[in-house]
Structure formats: C-alpha cells, structure tokens
Amino acid sequence: MKTRTHVINLTEAVLEMVLAEPVDAVNSGIQSQLFPAGHQLTEDSLLQLALSHIEFISILEPDYRSSAQVAIDAAVAAHRVMEIFSGADLSNPVMAVLFDQVLTYRSTQ
Amino acid sequence: MNQYLGERVIDNPLLVFPDIVSRILATLDDAEASLGVLVDFLDNEPDVMSRMVLLAEQSGLKYFEISNSGDLISLVGASRVRRWLLIDSIAAFARGHRYAGWEDFWRHSLATGVCGEELALYCTGGILPEMALVASLLHDIGQLGLFSRHVSGYLGGRGDAREGDAREGDAREGDAARPEPDFSGVDRAALSALVCQSWGLPDRICLAIRQQDAPDAASDDPLGCLLHVANVLTNALDLDGGEENRVTNLSSPACEKLGLIGGGSGARLDLMPVFGRITARVRHANILFL
C-alpha cells in the first residue's frame, strides 16, 4: 500500500497509526528515544507520549488516492506555489532553493 | 502622517496590553521566577485558568484531573503553559477590537507567531522561542490600532471597534458601505514597533519589528531576521490561507544570521524538516486560538 508522511497533533493520533520518525523525549536535559520509527501506536504508547509532553508526531498515512488523483493534486499544488512565487527572482540561489523545497513539500501533501 | 497616526494609535483607550506578556518575557532567563509568574497569575485569574484547562483537554489530556495550577503545569509542561498564556492573552486582546478585518489580522499573526517560534527552535540564532513567538505575534500590531474607529475615523474610513463596547457586534451599522481607510504611505513596521515600545516591551522586540522589512540592513540581533523569514514562510506555505500571499524576496544575509545558510560549514538552506511541523502546529493553533 502507498503511504505518505504527515505530521499531526497528538489529539489526531489514533490506535495502530505507524510512526514515520522516531520520537525523542527530554528529561532533566537528557534526550532519550521513546519510540522508534515504525512503532505502531497503542493505548499505552499514546498515554506515554502525552505524559512526556509530546505534542506532534510524524506518522505514515495510507494514501488511497489513485495515480491520476495524485497527479491532479500535485498539479494544483504546483500551480499555487508558482502563483505565490510569481514575483520572485529565482536566479537568486536562496530563493531558488526555497521555491524547490516549498514546491516539493506542497506537491506531496 | 506617521507621527500623528502613531500618537493616535498609542493614545487609543482600547489598546491596553495584557501585562502578563511582559511579566513572562521579563523572567525567561530565570526558571524559578518564570514558574512563579505562571503559578501566581493562574491562581489569581480563574477565568484564564479555566481556559488553560480547556486547552489541555483539547490537546488530548482530557482524562486527567486538573484542579490547580500545579496540576496543569506538571501535566502540560511549563513551556507549553507559558506559550498558551502568551498566545491566549494576545488573542483576547486582538479579539476585543472586532474591526471588520480582525480575523484575517489574527489568523496571519497567529500563523506567523507559530512559524517564528518553530524557526527559533530550528535555527542557530540563539533566540528564545517565547521571544520569537511574541515578536512574531505582534509584528503587525500597528494595523490593529489603525483600524480602530479611534484612528480610522481620522482617515475618513470605516472603523469597526466600538469604543466602550468592544465585545458586542462585529461592525457598526452602515460601515460596509463606507470606504476602507487609506493607509497608503503608513510605515506599518515602524507603527507596530512604536506601539510595542509604548507597552514597554523589550527593546529587542521593538527593534526587530521595526527592521522586519529591511532584513539585509538589520542589526546584529537575529530576531528581526527571524521575523522576515517567518513572514516569508507564512506566505510560502499559505499558513494563514490568504489568497494574496506572495513571496518576492528571501534575504540571504538574514538566513546567514540565523545559521540557515553559510557559516563555517557552508550549509545550504534546508527548511524541509520544519515544514510539516510548522503546518501541523498552525493547524492546531487555529483550532485552539481562532
């Protein structure tokens, strides 16, 4: 199954979601890993995340869209990004990198 | 006109800034004093305490009993309570004005505030996240003063804040037919800085807000650079949903001062790691504070 990565607030997390990235917690200045990437959320892990003051997690979300829909969504996102950057000087290397990154991010959301 | 407007904005009886913001900012470098400010404020402001408990419930902590400020801080964490208090106080302040465009104003300010705080956590500029949050939330605050009837009447436009009755109704009858006031020629960054100065906010914040549109020439303090980048990202990611969002410039010197590019390692701009978190945080902040 196709998946995509999505950052969500802990309130949006539900059982059996899969972490896309490890979750670290800091206790008394010491950083330690709470859960590794690939961990499937359980009631216990959700409680532990809340009590560790974790607010946001990155999860792998099933992507049920057809290939055609993915292409349409990406095109709509790209059109909007180009509109936003229409007055930007993309010969400026920093602007060009920002444009690329925003385009990549928004096209894959 | 700028000086006259500045005086009118500052003299506006509706612009009474929440004192707790200054108290929090003044104790950021002293963990014990900072905690004392939070506890003292929450213990003496039951309405605010109730709102904080509600925010905790809306943030997934509804299964825990929170009966006092100690429970709240222990469960939620001092830094999150501090952040909620800062945003909630400024939100209540902005909401009290109710001019026709205040929601757009607040949506943009909130998005930029969250973005600024996340950037402070990500970049190497040594900026305290709370300082970044407040500066970013207030970067356009002069606009709130401009649109109050107290000021915009002077410009012949509509002014929707009801002096003496700021809680009821969004606009005065007949305002829709009146023209938008003409604010062309007003230096909004300077005006916003002036307002912050009149509230006694730290010089760092006032200077950063004044310099937000001229990041190349900004002082050595990277806070102004951070405001510039936060504004750029708010537009680039459509964080405030504004149809007119555009990006025309991202200052290389500003990025360098924030450690986002260059330096000894010759780092290349890489903001991809923060996009997801910024977007998620703004989405959640909109639920809590709009």
PDB file of all heavy atoms in Angstrom, chain B residues 108 111-120 132 136 139 223-237 239 250 258 260 278:
ATOM      1  N   HIS B 108      -3.343  35.730  10.410  1.00  0.00           N
ATOM      2  CA  HIS B 108      -1.984  35.940   9.894  1.00  0.00           C
ATOM      3  C   HIS B 108      -0.985  36.045  11.057  1.00  0.00           C
ATOM      4  O   HIS B 108       0.097  35.458  11.012  1.00  0.00           O
ATOM      5  CB  HIS B 108      -1.926  37.205   9.027  1.00  0.00           C
ATOM      6  CG  HIS B 108      -0.535  37.564   8.596  1.00  0.00           C
ATOM      7  ND1 HIS B 108       0.155  36.846   7.633  1.00  0.00           N
ATOM      8  CD2 HIS B 108       0.314  38.534   9.014  1.00  0.00           C
ATOM      9  CE1 HIS B 108       1.364  37.375   7.481  1.00  0.00           C
ATOM     10  NE2 HIS B 108       1.484  38.398   8.309  1.00  0.00           N
ATOM     11  N   ALA B 111      -0.404  32.575  12.661  1.00  0.00           N
ATOM     12  CA  ALA B 111       0.418  31.716  11.796  1.00  0.00           C
ATOM     13  C   ALA B 111       1.877  32.166  11.840  1.00  0.00           C
ATOM     14  O   ALA B 111       2.796  31.339  11.974  1.00  0.00           O
ATOM     15  CB  ALA B 111      -0.111  31.759  10.368  1.00  0.00           C
ATOM     16  N   THR B 112       2.098  33.465  11.753  1.00  0.00           N
ATOM     17  CA  THR B 112       3.473  33.981  11.775  1.00  0.00           C
ATOM     18  C   THR B 112       4.107  33.734  13.147  1.00  0.00           C
ATOM     19  O   THR B 112       5.302  33.418  13.246  1.00  0.00           O
ATOM     20  CB  THR B 112       3.496  35.489  11.442  1.00  0.00           C
ATOM     21  OG1 THR B 112       2.685  35.729  10.294  1.00  0.00           O
ATOM     22  CG2 THR B 112       4.913  35.975  11.165  1.00  0.00           C
ATOM     23  N   GLY B 113       3.300  33.859  14.202  1.00  0.00           N
ATOM     24  CA  GLY B 113       3.809  33.626  15.555  1.00  0.00           C
ATOM     25  C   GLY B 113       4.290  32.201  15.738  1.00  0.00           C
ATOM     26  O   GLY B 113       5.399  31.960  16.212  1.00  0.00           O
ATOM     27  N   VAL B 114       3.463  31.255  15.341  1.00  0.00           N
ATOM     28  CA  VAL B 114       3.824  29.836  15.469  1.00  0.00           C
ATOM     29  C   VAL B 114       5.051  29.523  14.608  1.00  0.00           C
ATOM     30  O   VAL B 114       5.980  28.831  15.028  1.00  0.00           O
ATOM     31  CB  VAL B 114       2.627  28.943  15.069  1.00  0.00           C
ATOM     32  CG1 VAL B 114       3.041  27.496  14.944  1.00  0.00           C
ATOM     33  CG2 VAL B 114       1.508  29.079  16.110  1.00  0.00           C
ATOM     34  N   CYS B 115       5.044  30.080  13.402  1.00  0.00           N
ATOM     35  CA  CYS B 115       6.163  29.859  12.474  1.00  0.00           C
ATOM     36  C   CYS B 115       7.459  30.436  13.070  1.00  0.00           C
ATOM     37  O   CYS B 115       8.509  29.790  13.026  1.00  0.00           O
ATOM     38  CB  CYS B 115       5.806  30.549  11.154  1.00  0.00           C
ATOM     39  SG  CYS B 115       6.885  30.149   9.831  1.00  0.00           S
ATOM     40  N   GLY B 116       7.367  31.639  13.637  1.00  0.00           N
ATOM     41  CA  GLY B 116       8.542  32.272  14.248  1.00  0.00           C
ATOM     42  C   GLY B 116       9.084  31.445  15.401  1.00  0.00           C
ATOM     43  O   GLY B 116      10.305  31.273  15.543  1.00  0.00           O
ATOM     44  N   GLU B 117       8.190  30.920  16.212  1.00  0.00           N
ATOM     45  CA  GLU B 117       8.633  30.113  17.351  1.00  0.00           C
ATOM     46  C   GLU B 117       9.320  28.830  16.880  1.00  0.00           C
ATOM     47  O   GLU B 117      10.370  28.441  17.404  1.00  0.00           O
ATOM     48  CB  GLU B 117       7.427  29.776  18.239  1.00  0.00           C
ATOM     49  CG  GLU B 117       7.847  29.130  19.541  1.00  0.00           C
ATOM     50  CD  GLU B 117       6.675  28.548  20.321  1.00  0.00           C
ATOM     51  OE1 GLU B 117       5.546  28.600  19.830  1.00  0.00           O
ATOM     52  OE2 GLU B 117       6.915  28.022  21.411  1.00  0.00           O
ATOM     53  N   GLU B 118       8.739  28.190  15.886  1.00  0.00           N
ATOM     54  CA  GLU B 118       9.355  26.966  15.359  1.00  0.00           C
ATOM     55  C   GLU B 118      10.721  27.253  14.735  1.00  0.00           C
ATOM     56  O   GLU B 118      11.655  26.468  14.878  1.00  0.00           O
ATOM     57  CB  GLU B 118       8.440  26.318  14.313  1.00  0.00           C
ATOM     58  CG  GLU B 118       7.358  25.448  14.904  1.00  0.00           C
ATOM     59  CD  GLU B 118       7.894  24.264  15.713  1.00  0.00           C
ATOM     60  OE1 GLU B 118       8.886  23.642  15.305  1.00  0.00           O
ATOM     61  OE2 GLU B 118       7.326  23.990  16.775  1.00  0.00           O
ATOM     62  N   LEU B 119      10.820  28.392  14.036  1.00  0.00           N
ATOM     63  CA  LEU B 119      12.113  28.757  13.443  1.00  0.00           C
ATOM     64  C   LEU B 119      13.168  28.980  14.529  1.00  0.00           C
ATOM     65  O   LEU B 119      14.325  28.596  14.364  1.00  0.00           O
ATOM     66  CB  LEU B 119      11.976  30.034  12.601  1.00  0.00           C
ATOM     67  CG  LEU B 119      11.465  29.862  11.177  1.00  0.00           C
ATOM     68  CD1 LEU B 119      11.243  31.223  10.527  1.00  0.00           C
ATOM     69  CD2 LEU B 119      12.452  29.040  10.342  1.00  0.00           C
ATOM     70  N   ALA B 120      12.745  29.602  15.637  1.00  0.00           N
ATOM     71  CA  ALA B 120      13.691  29.838  16.732  1.00  0.00           C
ATOM     72  C   ALA B 120      14.220  28.514  17.280  1.00  0.00           C
ATOM     73  O   ALA B 120      15.388  28.410  17.671  1.00  0.00           O
ATOM     74  CB  ALA B 120      13.016  30.635  17.842  1.00  0.00           C
ATOM     75  N   ALA B 132      10.642  34.939  20.277  1.00  0.00           N
ATOM     76  CA  ALA B 132      10.279  34.855  18.856  1.00  0.00           C
ATOM     77  C   ALA B 132       8.764  34.823  18.691  1.00  0.00           C
ATOM     78  O   ALA B 132       8.212  35.471  17.791  1.00  0.00           O
ATOM     79  CB  ALA B 132      10.897  33.595  18.243  1.00  0.00           C
ATOM     80  N   SER B 136       6.746  37.765  16.754  1.00  0.00           N
ATOM     81  CA  SER B 136       6.039  37.381  15.521  1.00  0.00           C
ATOM     82  C   SER B 136       4.537  37.618  15.644  1.00  0.00           C
ATOM     83  O   SER B 136       3.893  38.045  14.687  1.00  0.00           O
ATOM     84  CB  SER B 136       6.296  35.913  15.187  1.00  0.00           C
ATOM     85  OG  SER B 136       7.666  35.622  15.188  1.00  0.00           O
ATOM     86  N   HIS B 139       4.023  41.433  15.147  1.00  0.00           N
ATOM     87  CA  HIS B 139       4.767  42.136  14.095  1.00  0.00           C
ATOM     88  C   HIS B 139       3.893  43.111  13.299  1.00  0.00           C
ATOM     89  O   HIS B 139       4.389  44.053  12.722  1.00  0.00           O
ATOM     90  CB  HIS B 139       5.477  41.137  13.165  1.00  0.00           C
ATOM     91  CG  HIS B 139       4.567  40.470  12.184  1.00  0.00           C
ATOM     92  ND1 HIS B 139       3.703  39.466  12.545  1.00  0.00           N
ATOM     93  CD2 HIS B 139       4.372  40.662  10.857  1.00  0.00           C
ATOM     94  CE1 HIS B 139       3.025  39.072  11.485  1.00  0.00           C
ATOM     95  NE2 HIS B 139       3.404  39.778  10.446  1.00  0.00           N
ATOM     96  N   LEU B 223      16.800  38.539  15.696  1.00  0.00           N
ATOM     97  CA  LEU B 223      15.347  38.463  15.861  1.00  0.00           C
ATOM     98  C   LEU B 223      14.599  39.105  14.686  1.00  0.00           C
ATOM     99  O   LEU B 223      13.580  38.582  14.227  1.00  0.00           O
ATOM    100  CB  LEU B 223      14.931  39.099  17.202  1.00  0.00           C
ATOM    101  CG  LEU B 223      13.488  38.914  17.636  1.00  0.00           C
ATOM    102  CD1 LEU B 223      13.086  37.446  17.707  1.00  0.00           C
ATOM    103  CD2 LEU B 223      13.240  39.580  19.001  1.00  0.00           C
ATOM    104  N   GLY B 224      15.114  40.238  14.182  1.00  0.00           N
ATOM    105  CA  GLY B 224      14.483  40.894  13.021  1.00  0.00           C
ATOM    106  C   GLY B 224      14.562  39.991  11.790  1.00  0.00           C
ATOM    107  O   GLY B 224      13.631  39.938  10.976  1.00  0.00           O
ATOM    108  N   CYS B 225      15.706  39.289  11.647  1.00  0.00           N
ATOM    109  CA  CYS B 225      15.877  38.355  10.526  1.00  0.00           C
ATOM    110  C   CYS B 225      14.858  37.222  10.632  1.00  0.00           C
ATOM    111  O   CYS B 225      14.276  36.786   9.639  1.00  0.00           O
ATOM    112  CB  CYS B 225      17.291  37.774  10.531  1.00  0.00           C
ATOM    113  SG  CYS B 225      18.567  39.031  10.434  1.00  0.00           S
ATOM    114  N   LEU B 226      14.643  36.764  11.858  1.00  0.00           N
ATOM    115  CA  LEU B 226      13.686  35.681  12.074  1.00  0.00           C
ATOM    116  C   LEU B 226      12.269  36.125  11.697  1.00  0.00           C
ATOM    117  O   LEU B 226      11.515  35.369  11.082  1.00  0.00           O
ATOM    118  CB  LEU B 226      13.742  35.231  13.537  1.00  0.00           C
ATOM    119  CG  LEU B 226      12.819  34.067  13.881  1.00  0.00           C
ATOM    120  CD1 LEU B 226      13.570  32.992  14.663  1.00  0.00           C
ATOM    121  CD2 LEU B 226      11.618  34.515  14.676  1.00  0.00           C
ATOM    122  N   LEU B 227      11.913  37.365  12.022  1.00  0.00           N
ATOM    123  CA  LEU B 227      10.589  37.868  11.645  1.00  0.00           C
ATOM    124  C   LEU B 227      10.423  37.864  10.130  1.00  0.00           C
ATOM    125  O   LEU B 227       9.364  37.510   9.605  1.00  0.00           O
ATOM    126  CB  LEU B 227      10.393  39.300  12.157  1.00  0.00           C
ATOM    127  CG  LEU B 227      10.079  39.492  13.630  1.00  0.00           C
ATOM    128  CD1 LEU B 227       9.700  40.932  13.908  1.00  0.00           C
ATOM    129  CD2 LEU B 227       8.950  38.586  14.059  1.00  0.00           C
ATOM    130  N   HIS B 228      11.494  38.272   9.440  1.00  0.00           N
ATOM    131  CA  HIS B 228      11.455  38.284   7.972  1.00  0.00           C
ATOM    132  C   HIS B 228      11.217  36.869   7.432  1.00  0.00           C
ATOM    133  O   HIS B 228      10.318  36.651   6.608  1.00  0.00           O
ATOM    134  CB  HIS B 228      12.769  38.864   7.441  1.00  0.00           C
ATOM    135  CG  HIS B 228      13.033  38.567   6.003  1.00  0.00           C
ATOM    136  ND1 HIS B 228      12.298  39.152   4.977  1.00  0.00           N
ATOM    137  CD2 HIS B 228      13.927  37.734   5.407  1.00  0.00           C
ATOM    138  CE1 HIS B 228      12.738  38.678   3.818  1.00  0.00           C
ATOM    139  NE2 HIS B 228      13.717  37.822   4.045  1.00  0.00           N
ATOM    140  N   VAL B 229      11.994  35.903   7.909  1.00  0.00           N
ATOM    141  CA  VAL B 229      11.871  34.531   7.395  1.00  0.00           C
ATOM    142  C   VAL B 229      10.510  33.941   7.776  1.00  0.00           C
ATOM    143  O   VAL B 229       9.866  33.241   6.981  1.00  0.00           O
ATOM    144  CB  VAL B 229      13.033  33.632   7.895  1.00  0.00           C
ATOM    145  CG1 VAL B 229      12.878  32.210   7.380  1.00  0.00           C
ATOM    146  CG2 VAL B 229      14.381  34.195   7.453  1.00  0.00           C
ATOM    147  N   ALA B 230      10.036  34.246   8.992  1.00  0.00           N
ATOM    148  CA  ALA B 230       8.725  33.736   9.422  1.00  0.00           C
ATOM    149  C   ALA B 230       7.613  34.270   8.521  1.00  0.00           C
ATOM    150  O   ALA B 230       6.696  33.543   8.143  1.00  0.00           O
ATOM    151  CB  ALA B 230       8.468  34.115  10.877  1.00  0.00           C
ATOM    152  N   ASN B 231       7.721  35.533   8.145  1.00  0.00           N
ATOM    153  CA  ASN B 231       6.723  36.125   7.248  1.00  0.00           C
ATOM    154  C   ASN B 231       6.771  35.471   5.865  1.00  0.00           C
ATOM    155  O   ASN B 231       5.735  35.180   5.265  1.00  0.00           O
ATOM    156  CB  ASN B 231       6.993  37.631   7.102  1.00  0.00           C
ATOM    157  CG  ASN B 231       5.871  38.453   7.688  1.00  0.00           C
ATOM    158  OD1 ASN B 231       4.701  38.085   7.590  1.00  0.00           O
ATOM    159  ND2 ASN B 231       6.217  39.566   8.304  1.00  0.00           N
ATOM    160  N   VAL B 232       7.991  35.233   5.381  1.00  0.00           N
ATOM    161  CA  VAL B 232       8.161  34.593   4.071  1.00  0.00           C
ATOM    162  C   VAL B 232       7.532  33.195   4.082  1.00  0.00           C
ATOM    163  O   VAL B 232       6.775  32.832   3.173  1.00  0.00           O
ATOM    164  CB  VAL B 232       9.667  34.505   3.695  1.00  0.00           C
ATOM    165  CG1 VAL B 232       9.878  33.573   2.507  1.00  0.00           C
ATOM    166  CG2 VAL B 232      10.215  35.889   3.375  1.00  0.00           C
ATOM    167  N   LEU B 233       7.813  32.419   5.134  1.00  0.00           N
ATOM    168  CA  LEU B 233       7.282  31.051   5.188  1.00  0.00           C
ATOM    169  C   LEU B 233       5.772  31.037   5.373  1.00  0.00           C
ATOM    170  O   LEU B 233       5.084  30.153   4.847  1.00  0.00           O
ATOM    171  CB  LEU B 233       7.959  30.253   6.309  1.00  0.00           C
ATOM    172  CG  LEU B 233       9.431  29.893   6.097  1.00  0.00           C
ATOM    173  CD1 LEU B 233       9.899  28.922   7.173  1.00  0.00           C
ATOM    174  CD2 LEU B 233       9.666  29.291   4.717  1.00  0.00           C
ATOM    175  N   THR B 234       5.249  31.998   6.123  1.00  0.00           N
ATOM    176  CA  THR B 234       3.793  32.080   6.300  1.00  0.00           C
ATOM    177  C   THR B 234       3.119  32.245   4.942  1.00  0.00           C
ATOM    178  O   THR B 234       2.093  31.619   4.655  1.00  0.00           O
ATOM    179  CB  THR B 234       3.435  33.259   7.235  1.00  0.00           C
ATOM    180  OG1 THR B 234       4.045  33.025   8.504  1.00  0.00           O
ATOM    181  CG2 THR B 234       1.930  33.384   7.424  1.00  0.00           C
ATOM    182  N   ASN B 235       3.719  33.067   4.088  1.00  0.00           N
ATOM    183  CA  ASN B 235       3.167  33.257   2.740  1.00  0.00           C
ATOM    184  C   ASN B 235       3.436  32.035   1.855  1.00  0.00           C
ATOM    185  O   ASN B 235       2.547  31.564   1.146  1.00  0.00           O
ATOM    186  CB  ASN B 235       3.771  34.499   2.092  1.00  0.00           C
ATOM    187  CG  ASN B 235       3.249  35.770   2.734  1.00  0.00           C
ATOM    188  OD1 ASN B 235       2.172  35.780   3.323  1.00  0.00           O
ATOM    189  ND2 ASN B 235       4.009  36.848   2.647  1.00  0.00           N
ATOM    190  N   ALA B 236       4.664  31.532   1.903  1.00  0.00           N
ATOM    191  CA  ALA B 236       5.045  30.429   1.005  1.00  0.00           C
ATOM    192  C   ALA B 236       4.212  29.183   1.253  1.00  0.00           C
ATOM    193  O   ALA B 236       3.882  28.451   0.320  1.00  0.00           O
ATOM    194  CB  ALA B 236       6.532  30.121   1.177  1.00  0.00           C
ATOM    195  N   LEU B 237       3.880  28.944   2.514  1.00  0.00           N
ATOM    196  CA  LEU B 237       3.120  27.733   2.856  1.00  0.00           C
ATOM    197  C   LEU B 237       1.627  28.015   2.989  1.00  0.00           C
ATOM    198  O   LEU B 237       0.863  27.139   3.405  1.00  0.00           O
ATOM    199  CB  LEU B 237       3.659  27.134   4.165  1.00  0.00           C
ATOM    200  CG  LEU B 237       5.119  26.662   4.141  1.00  0.00           C
ATOM    201  CD1 LEU B 237       5.592  26.268   5.535  1.00  0.00           C
ATOM    202  CD2 LEU B 237       5.295  25.483   3.188  1.00  0.00           C
ATOM    203  N   LEU B 239       0.073  29.613   5.194  1.00  0.00           N
ATOM    204  CA  LEU B 239      -0.310  29.224   6.554  1.00  0.00           C
ATOM    205  C   LEU B 239      -1.537  29.966   7.049  1.00  0.00           C
ATOM    206  O   LEU B 239      -2.278  29.456   7.887  1.00  0.00           O
ATOM    207  CB  LEU B 239       0.858  29.472   7.524  1.00  0.00           C
ATOM    208  CG  LEU B 239       2.120  28.638   7.302  1.00  0.00           C
ATOM    209  CD1 LEU B 239       3.214  29.053   8.273  1.00  0.00           C
ATOM    210  CD2 LEU B 239       1.818  27.153   7.469  1.00  0.00           C
ATOM    211  N   LEU B 250      13.696  36.501  -0.250  1.00  0.00           N
ATOM    212  CA  LEU B 250      14.182  35.870   0.983  1.00  0.00           C
ATOM    213  C   LEU B 250      15.614  36.342   1.148  1.00  0.00           C
ATOM    214  O   LEU B 250      16.473  36.049   0.306  1.00  0.00           O
ATOM    215  CB  LEU B 250      14.119  34.341   0.889  1.00  0.00           C
ATOM    216  CG  LEU B 250      14.706  33.590   2.092  1.00  0.00           C
ATOM    217  CD1 LEU B 250      13.927  33.903   3.371  1.00  0.00           C
ATOM    218  CD2 LEU B 250      14.692  32.085   1.851  1.00  0.00           C
ATOM    219  N   LEU B 258      20.795  33.714  10.835  1.00  0.00           N
ATOM    220  CA  LEU B 258      20.045  32.694  11.580  1.00  0.00           C
ATOM    221  C   LEU B 258      20.734  31.327  11.520  1.00  0.00           C
ATOM    222  O   LEU B 258      20.242  30.358  12.085  1.00  0.00           O
ATOM    223  CB  LEU B 258      18.619  32.576  11.019  1.00  0.00           C
ATOM    224  CG  LEU B 258      17.723  33.793  11.252  1.00  0.00           C
ATOM    225  CD1 LEU B 258      16.450  33.683  10.432  1.00  0.00           C
ATOM    226  CD2 LEU B 258      17.387  33.938  12.727  1.00  0.00           C
ATOM    227  N   LEU B 260      20.957  29.559   8.885  1.00  0.00           N
ATOM    228  CA  LEU B 260      20.236  28.681   7.950  1.00  0.00           C
ATOM    229  C   LEU B 260      21.053  28.397   6.695  1.00  0.00           C
ATOM    230  O   LEU B 260      20.805  27.412   6.005  1.00  0.00           O
ATOM    231  CB  LEU B 260      18.898  29.312   7.557  1.00  0.00           C
ATOM    232  CG  LEU B 260      17.864  29.438   8.683  1.00  0.00           C
ATOM    233  CD1 LEU B 260      16.665  30.259   8.223  1.00  0.00           C
ATOM    234  CD2 LEU B 260      17.408  28.059   9.146  1.00  0.00           C
ATOM    235  N   ILE B 278       5.620  22.913  11.268  1.00  0.00           N
ATOM    236  CA  ILE B 278       5.028  24.259  11.272  1.00  0.00           C
ATOM    237  C   ILE B 278       3.570  24.180  10.814  1.00  0.00           C
ATOM    238  O   ILE B 278       2.671  24.753  11.440  1.00  0.00           O
ATOM    239  CB  ILE B 278       5.833  25.214  10.348  1.00  0.00           C
ATOM    240  CG1 ILE B 278       7.157  25.602  11.000  1.00  0.00           C
ATOM    241  CG2 ILE B 278       5.015  26.468  10.040  1.00  0.00           C
ATOM    242  CD1 ILE B 278       8.074  26.433  10.116  1.00  0.00           C
TER     243      ILE B 278
END
